[in-house]
Amino acid sequence: MMRREPPVTRPEPQVNHPDPAPSRLKYRLERLMLTPLFRVTLRVGLPLVIGFGATTWYFSYDSNREALMGQIAELRDAFETRPEFMVNLMAVDGAGDAVASDIRALLPLEFPISSFDLDLDAMRETVVALDAVETAQLRIRQGGVLQVEVVERVPAVLWRSGAGLQLLDASGVRVGPAQARAERPDLPVIAGPGAEAHVDEALALFDAAAPLAGRLRGLERVGERRWDVVLDRAQRIELPSRNAVQALERVLAMDEAVDMLARDIAAVDLRLPRRPTLRLRGGAVEDYWRIKALETGEQQQ
């Protein structure tokens, strides 16, 4: 048999190709560009930094700042003075002529005025500070009208104090002064220090004293703890510090039974409810002792 020789392989010629591997710096840059945070920073952060720096540099000059503020002020004035935002007059509802005049004096507005220049909350506090005003609401209605809606306090009593006559409402809050009793003959009168703090009790006593309406002159607070009912002919009903209404009703019941208050009595003292006392006038006391002397003489005979 013939023996085959293995094929002879010729070596391929060597070709020098460039190295495909990048340099270390390029590799790191490519890896950095693949980082999401770096890409966001490059797209967003860098423009912001450049814009902030340019803005800061621009406004570092006073003239540039003043020019910008002037333009903003002009735009704001042009917007706030538009016709739909202007207030042309003020209307006061729910108040009498005197209170309305006081309100207009406290709010000296020069119309027309922009609604942006009106502090309605502060103006409401100013109106409520008036003695005669209980509540107030302010709003701007269509047509450029400043609407002031007022609820006045209703006087309930006349308080005679060291400062003169004062009108008080049912809760004892001052409504205003009164020049004379004849101004409000329809209101009952209270007097004495501390009386203004117990108007509710005084009104209850006035209601209970309705049978004495023709003779009732008023109530006087004594010692800042109790009431005296003042009648004509200088008579008084001295009430206790507690349960004053019930004590007054007892006196009225006795008066209805025996016509007690029509007698020559100076005072009915109920300060000790268990020991009511009658104080007679001087002439009545002399008559009493004369009658007692006559009765004693007859008994001796």
Side-chain angles (χ1 to χ4, degrees), residues 26-273:
K26 184 177 180 181
Y27 173 77
R28 290 182 178 180
L29 288 177
E30 289 179 353
R31 294 297 298 175
L32 188 62
M33 289 299 296
L34 294 176
T35 305
L37 179 61
F38 180 79
R39 288 190 296 177
V40 171
T41 303
L42 193 63
R43 287 200 306 264
V44 179
L46 184 60
L48 287 178
V49 172
I50 295 174
F52 178 78
T55 304
T56 303
W57 171 80
Y58 179 80
F59 287 112
S60 62
Y61 295 96
D62 294 339
S63 58
N64 295 337
R65 290 199 303 269
E66 293 176 358
L68 178 62
M69 295 304 295
Q71 293 177 359
I72 294 176
E74 290 178 1
L75 291 175
R76 179 177 178 180
D77 291 341
F79 177 78
E80 292 181 354
T81 56
R82 291 170 63 93
E84 57 267 29
F85 298 136
M86 297 303 291
V87 178
N88 301 308
L89 56 91
M90 178 171 61
V92 181
D93 293 337
D97 294 339
V99 177
S101 298
D102 292 339
I103 292 175
R104 295 182 186 277
L106 287 175
L107 304 176
L109 301 176
E110 295 183 1
F111 298 104
I113 185 173
S114 174
S115 58
F116 291 94
D117 295 331
L118 298 177
D119 188 347
L120 297 183
D121 291 334
M123 294 168 65
R124 187 187 66 83
E125 295 296 331
T126 301
V127 174
V128 172
L130 287 173
D131 293 333
V133 176
E134 184 175 1
T135 61
Q137 292 183 352
L138 280 76
R139 61 187 180 90
I140 299 174
R141 69 186 191 192
Q142 291 183 351
V145 178
L146 175 61
Q147 184 76 37
V148 182
E149 297 179 356
V150 173
V151 176
E152 289 192 59
R153 297 187 184 277
V154 179
V157 296
L158 272 171
W159 176 37
R160 192 182 299 278
S161 65
L165 286 174
Q166 304 290 331
L167 293 167
L168 306 179
D169 67 359
S171 59
V173 179
R174 183 179 182 272
V175 177
Q179 300 301 324
R181 175 73 177 94
E183 285 187 9
R184 297 301 302 265
D186 57 315
L187 297 181
V189 179
I190 62 175
E196 76 283 5
H198 301 275
V199 174
D200 53 345
E201 185 181 17
L203 292 174
L205 289 172
F206 280 120
D207 291 339
L212 300 174
R215 299 190 55 199
L216 185 61
R217 294 295 177 264
L219 297 177
E220 182 179 359
R221 192 74 177 171
V222 180
E224 298 189 12
R225 62 184 183 85
R226 65 173 193 86
W227 293 101
D228 273 4
V229 180
V230 182
L231 305 176
D232 59 358
R233 304 205 317 265
Q235 282 186 336
R236 285 178 177 260
I237 302 175
E238 301 175 355
L239 300 175
S241 58
R242 296 182 179 179
N243 301 321
V245 175
Q246 292 81 351
L248 179 58
E249 290 174 346
R250 288 176 54 194
V251 173
L252 296 177
M254 289 188 292
D255 179 61
E256 185 177 358
V258 298
D259 202 16
M260 177 181 63
L261 296 176
R263 304 177 185 276
D264 197 8
I265 295 174
V268 180
D269 189 350
L270 295 176
R271 289 175 294 177
L272 298 177

